[in-house]
Amino acid sequence: MRPPTAVLTRGFDPALSVGSARPAVFRSSTYVFTSPEAAERAFAIAGGRAQAMPGEHVDLIYSRFNHPNAEILEDQIVPLEKGARAAVVFNSGMAAIMTSILAFARPGDSMVYTVPLYGGTQHLIHEFLEPFGISGTAVRAGQGAALVKAIAEARNLRVVLIETPANPTLMMTDIRQAVEAAGKREAPPVVMVDNTFLGPTFQHPLMHGADVVLYSGTKYLGGFSDMLSGVALTADPALVKTIKARRGLFGNILQPDECWILDSRLPTVNLRMNRASKNAQRIAERLAAHKKVERIHYPSLFADADQVRIRDAQCDYPGAMLSLELEGGKAAAFDFLRKLKLARNAVSLGGVETLVCHPKSTTHSSVSAAELEIAGVTDGLVRISVGIEDWRDLLADFEQALA
Ligand SMILES: *Cc1c(COP(=O)(O)O)cnc(C)c1O
């Protein structure tokens, strides 16, 4: 079955939802066992002391570990991610990232990560993981040789975390190169890719050898800026099993109602992302020539040869995130935001509606000057998450705001 079919048909049996064509919402916190023996068996399997037989019906236990809507969602999301065989859902993207890292790294271990990272992830590393005893080595996005060196030299390396393209300049990192470097170590670290910006439609890290793909499902997967969620997907089901065991301890599974909402958004992810990417490409290519735009960051307009090589190797389409550097710095950026009539001034991304923000004073405001310099976040930079409105209306809105 091809993904658009699989996403609508697998993982859901109407007979288990009294014949309902769409899944029911199972809000129960606990489940009634079919027998004491079935309860014993369910606990043995949940505790890792026994393995479920193929086709065996195992009783559900308690909704912090698992519930029907999470199971349905996890089954249905797998075909959207090329190469995936298992998924685990969380109540936010940060929960997916934190739980996946802590499933593999413990105090005394280290991780290598690309910068810039999503602000929350950067804070997680500096304010929690480092004081907790998991040290980190930062490597600038797109610096392949430095990444290979850091992966080769880090002590007790357990996790490599790559975010590509990087926010907000869309600088890309070569996933396969990192995977190959990781594979050369005696005990290879787990390579994780935050695929929120281009996945699942345009970038497929598991096909390049990554171990774990991470999402803020709050963005393109959810698609309507009305819910929080997170997902981790792997080719090796054993990795998802390890992450799920941590999720059961932390208690950050996605709740039944949210699972049901996200499940209903999956069949349209590719439609929404394709439309938004086409819109963004048309807008970016026209704004690139605008006299008030000093510089534009968008994958189809990359000039650097190595960035072009990485883009062509790992991205199908350029996606719907773009950034403009405006002539006139912060004042010009703020004027632009004030004058927009259709696009809204908000952080977050990946919704059907177009959102614009000024990273330096908002999403990146707690980042040091040196790190901002590295990240390429300038005073005049505005980040745009292009939605699925008619691109001509959006272009006209951007042009009138620039004027
Ligand atoms: C939003 C985002 C996150 C965090 O996700 P939440 O759902 O807000 O917890 C992580 N990574 C990237 C790239 C994001 O854009």
Short mmCIF file of all heavy atoms in Angstrom, two decimals, residues 152-198:
data_model
loop_
_atom_site.label_atom_id
_atom_site.label_comp_id
_atom_site.label_asym_id
_atom_site.label_seq_id
_atom_site.Cartn_x
_atom_site.Cartn_y
_atom_site.Cartn_z
N ALA A 152 33.67 11.86 16.09
CA ALA A 152 34.78 10.93 16.28
C ALA A 152 35.43 11.09 17.65
O ALA A 152 35.87 10.12 18.26
CB ALA A 152 35.82 11.14 15.17
N GLU A 153 35.45 12.34 18.16
CA GLU A 153 36.27 12.61 19.35
C GLU A 153 35.52 12.67 20.67
O GLU A 153 36.14 12.57 21.73
CB GLU A 153 37.04 13.93 19.14
CG GLU A 153 38.09 13.80 18.05
CD GLU A 153 38.80 15.10 17.74
OE1 GLU A 153 38.44 16.14 18.34
OE2 GLU A 153 39.72 15.06 16.89
N ALA A 154 34.18 12.84 20.65
CA ALA A 154 33.44 13.02 21.91
C ALA A 154 33.58 11.77 22.79
O ALA A 154 33.57 10.65 22.29
CB ALA A 154 31.98 13.30 21.61
N ARG A 155 33.68 11.98 24.09
CA ARG A 155 33.80 10.85 25.04
C ARG A 155 32.42 10.35 25.43
O ARG A 155 31.50 11.14 25.63
CB ARG A 155 34.55 11.30 26.29
CG ARG A 155 36.04 11.60 26.01
CD ARG A 155 36.84 11.67 27.29
NE ARG A 155 36.66 10.47 28.11
CZ ARG A 155 36.61 10.48 29.45
NH1 ARG A 155 36.69 11.61 30.11
NH2 ARG A 155 36.45 9.34 30.11
N ASN A 156 32.25 9.06 25.55
CA ASN A 156 30.98 8.43 25.95
C ASN A 156 29.80 9.00 25.15
O ASN A 156 28.76 9.34 25.70
CB ASN A 156 30.70 8.64 27.44
CG ASN A 156 31.75 7.98 28.31
OD1 ASN A 156 32.42 7.05 27.87
ND2 ASN A 156 31.90 8.47 29.52
N LEU A 157 30.01 9.10 23.85
CA LEU A 157 28.98 9.70 23.00
C LEU A 157 27.80 8.74 22.83
O LEU A 157 27.98 7.61 22.38
CB LEU A 157 29.58 10.05 21.63
CG LEU A 157 28.64 10.69 20.62
CD1 LEU A 157 28.16 12.05 21.11
CD2 LEU A 157 29.32 10.84 19.26
N ARG A 158 26.61 9.20 23.20
CA ARG A 158 25.41 8.35 23.11
C ARG A 158 24.39 8.87 22.10
O ARG A 158 23.58 8.12 21.59
CB ARG A 158 24.74 8.22 24.49
CG ARG A 158 25.56 7.47 25.51
CD ARG A 158 25.86 6.02 25.09
NE ARG A 158 24.64 5.26 24.90
CZ ARG A 158 24.47 4.33 23.98
NH1 ARG A 158 25.44 4.04 23.13
NH2 ARG A 158 23.32 3.69 23.89
N VAL A 159 24.38 10.20 21.90
CA VAL A 159 23.34 10.79 21.04
C VAL A 159 23.96 11.84 20.12
O VAL A 159 24.77 12.66 20.56
CB VAL A 159 22.23 11.45 21.89
CG1 VAL A 159 21.26 12.24 21.00
CG2 VAL A 159 21.46 10.41 22.72
N VAL A 160 23.59 11.79 18.84
CA VAL A 160 23.89 12.88 17.90
C VAL A 160 22.53 13.46 17.52
O VAL A 160 21.65 12.72 17.05
CB VAL A 160 24.63 12.36 16.65
CG1 VAL A 160 24.83 13.49 15.64
CG2 VAL A 160 25.97 11.73 17.03
N LEU A 161 22.34 14.75 17.76
CA LEU A 161 21.05 15.39 17.45
C LEU A 161 21.26 16.44 16.36
O LEU A 161 22.00 17.40 16.54
CB LEU A 161 20.46 16.04 18.71
CG LEU A 161 19.16 16.81 18.50
CD1 LEU A 161 18.03 15.89 18.02
CD2 LEU A 161 18.73 17.51 19.78
N ILE A 162 20.58 16.22 15.24
CA ILE A 162 20.72 17.12 14.09
C ILE A 162 19.37 17.78 13.84
O ILE A 162 18.34 17.11 13.83
CB ILE A 162 21.13 16.31 12.83
CG1 ILE A 162 22.53 15.72 13.02
CG2 ILE A 162 21.07 17.18 11.57
CD1 ILE A 162 22.88 14.71 11.95
N GLU A 163 19.40 19.10 13.64
CA GLU A 163 18.18 19.78 13.21
C GLU A 163 18.48 20.36 11.84
O GLU A 163 19.35 21.22 11.71
CB GLU A 163 17.82 20.88 14.22
CG GLU A 163 16.42 21.41 14.04
CD GLU A 163 16.06 22.40 15.13
OE1 GLU A 163 16.17 22.06 16.33
OE2 GLU A 163 15.68 23.53 14.78
N THR A 164 17.81 19.86 10.83
CA THR A 164 18.08 20.35 9.47
C THR A 164 16.78 20.41 8.67
O THR A 164 16.00 19.46 8.74
CB THR A 164 19.14 19.48 8.76
OG1 THR A 164 19.40 20.03 7.46
CG2 THR A 164 18.75 18.02 8.59
N PRO A 165 16.47 21.53 8.00
CA PRO A 165 17.24 22.76 7.99
C PRO A 165 17.14 23.49 9.32
O PRO A 165 16.19 23.30 10.06
CB PRO A 165 16.59 23.59 6.87
CG PRO A 165 15.27 22.99 6.61
CD PRO A 165 15.27 21.60 7.13
N ALA A 166 18.17 24.33 9.60
CA ALA A 166 18.21 25.05 10.87
C ALA A 166 17.34 26.30 10.81
O ALA A 166 17.18 26.92 9.77
CB ALA A 166 19.65 25.42 11.20
N ASN A 167 16.81 26.64 11.94
CA ASN A 167 15.90 27.76 12.12
C ASN A 167 16.70 28.98 12.59
O ASN A 167 17.44 28.84 13.56
CB ASN A 167 14.90 27.33 13.21
CG ASN A 167 13.96 28.42 13.63
OD1 ASN A 167 13.74 29.38 12.92
ND2 ASN A 167 13.40 28.26 14.81
N PRO A 168 16.58 30.16 11.98
CA PRO A 168 15.69 30.54 10.89
C PRO A 168 16.36 30.71 9.54
O PRO A 168 15.73 31.19 8.62
CB PRO A 168 15.19 31.91 11.38
CG PRO A 168 16.37 32.50 12.07
CD PRO A 168 17.18 31.35 12.62
N THR A 169 17.63 30.29 9.40
CA THR A 169 18.33 30.58 8.13
C THR A 169 18.29 29.39 7.16
O THR A 169 18.81 29.50 6.06
CB THR A 169 19.81 30.93 8.39
OG1 THR A 169 20.39 29.84 9.11
CG2 THR A 169 19.94 32.20 9.20
N LEU A 170 17.71 28.27 7.61
CA LEU A 170 17.53 27.09 6.75
C LEU A 170 18.85 26.45 6.32
O LEU A 170 18.91 25.73 5.33
CB LEU A 170 16.66 27.44 5.53
CG LEU A 170 15.29 27.97 5.95
CD1 LEU A 170 14.63 28.73 4.84
CD2 LEU A 170 14.38 26.86 6.44
N MET A 171 19.90 26.71 7.10
CA MET A 171 21.20 26.07 6.83
C MET A 171 21.04 24.56 7.03
O MET A 171 20.49 24.11 8.03
CB MET A 171 22.22 26.64 7.81
CG MET A 171 23.63 26.22 7.55
SD MET A 171 24.32 26.93 6.05
CE MET A 171 24.85 28.51 6.65
N MET A 172 21.54 23.78 6.05
CA MET A 172 21.33 22.33 6.10
C MET A 172 22.56 21.56 6.55
O MET A 172 23.69 21.99 6.33
CB MET A 172 20.89 21.82 4.72
CG MET A 172 19.51 22.36 4.35
SD MET A 172 18.87 21.60 2.86
CE MET A 172 17.29 22.44 2.77
N THR A 173 22.31 20.40 7.18
CA THR A 173 23.36 19.50 7.64
C THR A 173 23.20 18.16 6.93
O THR A 173 22.09 17.66 6.77
CB THR A 173 23.25 19.30 9.17
OG1 THR A 173 23.47 20.57 9.81
CG2 THR A 173 24.26 18.29 9.69
N ASP A 174 24.34 17.59 6.52
CA ASP A 174 24.35 16.33 5.77
C ASP A 174 24.10 15.16 6.75
O ASP A 174 24.97 14.81 7.55
CB ASP A 174 25.72 16.19 5.09
CG ASP A 174 25.79 15.00 4.15
OD1 ASP A 174 25.05 14.02 4.36
OD2 ASP A 174 26.62 15.06 3.21
N ILE A 175 22.92 14.56 6.66
CA ILE A 175 22.53 13.50 7.59
C ILE A 175 23.40 12.26 7.39
O ILE A 175 23.92 11.68 8.35
CB ILE A 175 21.04 13.14 7.41
CG1 ILE A 175 20.15 14.35 7.74
CG2 ILE A 175 20.65 11.93 8.26
CD1 ILE A 175 18.68 14.19 7.32
N ARG A 176 23.60 11.86 6.13
CA ARG A 176 24.35 10.63 5.87
C ARG A 176 25.79 10.73 6.36
O ARG A 176 26.34 9.77 6.92
CB ARG A 176 24.31 10.26 4.38
CG ARG A 176 24.96 8.90 4.11
CD ARG A 176 24.73 8.39 2.70
NE ARG A 176 23.35 8.11 2.39
CZ ARG A 176 22.69 7.00 2.74
NH1 ARG A 176 23.29 6.08 3.47
NH2 ARG A 176 21.46 6.81 2.37
N GLN A 177 26.37 11.89 6.20
CA GLN A 177 27.75 12.08 6.66
C GLN A 177 27.84 11.87 8.19
O GLN A 177 28.77 11.22 8.68
CB GLN A 177 28.20 13.50 6.29
CG GLN A 177 29.65 13.79 6.56
CD GLN A 177 30.01 15.20 6.16
OE1 GLN A 177 29.25 16.14 6.39
NE2 GLN A 177 31.17 15.36 5.54
N ALA A 178 26.85 12.39 8.91
CA ALA A 178 26.83 12.22 10.37
C ALA A 178 26.61 10.75 10.73
O ALA A 178 27.24 10.22 11.65
CB ALA A 178 25.73 13.09 10.98
N VAL A 179 25.71 10.09 9.99
CA VAL A 179 25.43 8.67 10.24
C VAL A 179 26.69 7.83 10.03
O VAL A 179 27.02 6.95 10.83
CB VAL A 179 24.28 8.19 9.32
CG1 VAL A 179 24.20 6.68 9.28
CG2 VAL A 179 22.96 8.80 9.76
N GLU A 180 27.43 8.14 8.95
CA GLU A 180 28.65 7.37 8.67
C GLU A 180 29.70 7.59 9.75
O GLU A 180 30.38 6.65 10.20
CB GLU A 180 29.19 7.72 7.28
CG GLU A 180 28.36 7.01 6.21
CD GLU A 180 28.64 7.48 4.78
OE1 GLU A 180 29.54 8.33 4.59
OE2 GLU A 180 27.93 6.99 3.88
N ALA A 181 29.82 8.83 10.21
CA ALA A 181 30.78 9.12 11.29
C ALA A 181 30.38 8.38 12.56
O ALA A 181 31.22 7.81 13.26
CB ALA A 181 30.86 10.63 11.53
N ALA A 182 29.08 8.37 12.85
CA ALA A 182 28.59 7.69 14.06
C ALA A 182 28.87 6.19 13.97
O ALA A 182 29.26 5.55 14.96
CB ALA A 182 27.10 7.95 14.24
N GLY A 183 28.71 5.63 12.78
CA GLY A 183 28.89 4.19 12.58
C GLY A 183 30.33 3.73 12.74
O GLY A 183 30.60 2.54 12.92
N LYS A 184 31.27 4.68 12.68
CA LYS A 184 32.69 4.32 12.81
C LYS A 184 33.10 4.14 14.27
O LYS A 184 34.18 3.64 14.56
CB LYS A 184 33.57 5.40 12.16
CG LYS A 184 33.44 5.40 10.64
CD LYS A 184 34.62 6.10 9.98
CE LYS A 184 34.49 6.03 8.47
NZ LYS A 184 34.27 7.36 7.87
N ARG A 185 32.25 4.59 15.19
CA ARG A 185 32.62 4.46 16.62
C ARG A 185 32.39 3.02 17.09
O ARG A 185 31.53 2.32 16.58
CB ARG A 185 31.79 5.43 17.45
CG ARG A 185 32.24 6.87 17.27
CD ARG A 185 31.50 7.76 18.23
NE ARG A 185 31.81 7.47 19.62
CZ ARG A 185 32.55 8.24 20.40
NH1 ARG A 185 33.05 9.36 19.93
NH2 ARG A 185 32.76 7.91 21.66
N GLU A 186 33.14 2.65 18.10
CA GLU A 186 33.04 1.29 18.63
C GLU A 186 31.63 1.02 19.13
O GLU A 186 31.05 -0.03 18.85
CB GLU A 186 34.05 1.14 19.75
CG GLU A 186 34.53 -0.29 19.90
CD GLU A 186 35.65 -0.37 20.93
OE1 GLU A 186 36.54 0.52 20.92
OE2 GLU A 186 35.61 -1.30 21.74
N ALA A 187 31.07 1.97 19.90
CA ALA A 187 29.67 1.86 20.33
C ALA A 187 28.93 3.02 19.67
O ALA A 187 28.94 4.13 20.17
CB ALA A 187 29.59 1.97 21.85
N PRO A 188 28.32 2.77 18.50
CA PRO A 188 27.72 3.89 17.75
C PRO A 188 26.62 4.59 18.54
O PRO A 188 25.78 3.95 19.16
CB PRO A 188 27.14 3.21 16.50
CG PRO A 188 27.91 1.94 16.36
CD PRO A 188 28.22 1.50 17.77
N PRO A 189 26.66 5.94 18.54
CA PRO A 189 25.59 6.71 19.19
C PRO A 189 24.30 6.63 18.38
O PRO A 189 24.32 6.24 17.21
CB PRO A 189 26.15 8.14 19.19
CG PRO A 189 27.05 8.17 17.99
CD PRO A 189 27.65 6.80 17.88
N VAL A 190 23.20 6.99 19.01
CA VAL A 190 21.91 7.04 18.34
C VAL A 190 21.83 8.38 17.60
O VAL A 190 22.00 9.44 18.21
CB VAL A 190 20.76 6.92 19.37
CG1 VAL A 190 19.41 7.02 18.68
CG2 VAL A 190 20.88 5.61 20.13
N VAL A 191 21.61 8.32 16.29
CA VAL A 191 21.53 9.56 15.50
C VAL A 191 20.06 9.97 15.37
O VAL A 191 19.24 9.22 14.84
CB VAL A 191 22.16 9.39 14.10
CG1 VAL A 191 22.03 10.68 13.29
CG2 VAL A 191 23.62 8.98 14.23
N MET A 192 19.75 11.16 15.89
CA MET A 192 18.38 11.67 15.88
C MET A 192 18.30 12.90 14.98
O MET A 192 19.20 13.72 15.00
CB MET A 192 17.96 12.09 17.29
CG MET A 192 18.10 10.97 18.31
SD MET A 192 17.51 11.49 19.93
CE MET A 192 17.89 9.98 20.85
N VAL A 193 17.22 13.01 14.24
CA VAL A 193 17.03 14.18 13.38
C VAL A 193 15.68 14.82 13.71
O VAL A 193 14.64 14.16 13.64
CB VAL A 193 17.08 13.81 11.88
CG1 VAL A 193 16.81 15.04 11.02
CG2 VAL A 193 18.42 13.19 11.52
N ASP A 194 15.71 16.09 14.10
CA ASP A 194 14.48 16.85 14.26
C ASP A 194 14.03 17.25 12.85
O ASP A 194 14.66 18.08 12.20
CB ASP A 194 14.73 18.08 15.14
CG ASP A 194 13.44 18.85 15.44
OD1 ASP A 194 12.52 18.83 14.59
OD2 ASP A 194 13.36 19.50 16.50
N ASN A 195 12.95 16.61 12.39
CA ASN A 195 12.52 16.74 10.98
C ASN A 195 11.31 17.67 10.85
O ASN A 195 10.58 17.60 9.86
CB ASN A 195 12.17 15.33 10.47
CG ASN A 195 12.29 15.18 8.97
OD1 ASN A 195 13.09 15.85 8.33
ND2 ASN A 195 11.49 14.28 8.41
N THR A 196 11.08 18.51 11.87
CA THR A 196 9.86 19.33 11.93
C THR A 196 9.68 20.25 10.72
O THR A 196 8.57 20.44 10.24
CB THR A 196 9.88 20.16 13.23
OG1 THR A 196 9.92 19.27 14.34
CG2 THR A 196 8.65 21.04 13.35
N PHE A 197 10.78 20.81 10.20
CA PHE A 197 10.65 21.82 9.13
C PHE A 197 10.26 21.23 7.78
O PHE A 197 9.50 21.85 7.04
CB PHE A 197 11.96 22.60 8.98
CG PHE A 197 12.01 23.87 9.78
CD1 PHE A 197 11.55 23.89 11.10
CD2 PHE A 197 12.51 25.04 9.25
CE1 PHE A 197 11.60 25.05 11.85
CE2 PHE A 197 12.55 26.21 9.99
CZ PHE A 197 12.09 26.22 11.29
N LEU A 198 10.81 20.07 7.42
CA LEU A 198 10.56 19.55 6.06
C LEU A 198 9.86 18.19 6.04
O LEU A 198 9.47 17.71 4.98
CB LEU A 198 11.89 19.44 5.29
CG LEU A 198 12.46 20.73 4.72
CD1 LEU A 198 13.75 20.44 3.97
CD2 LEU A 198 11.48 21.43 3.80
#
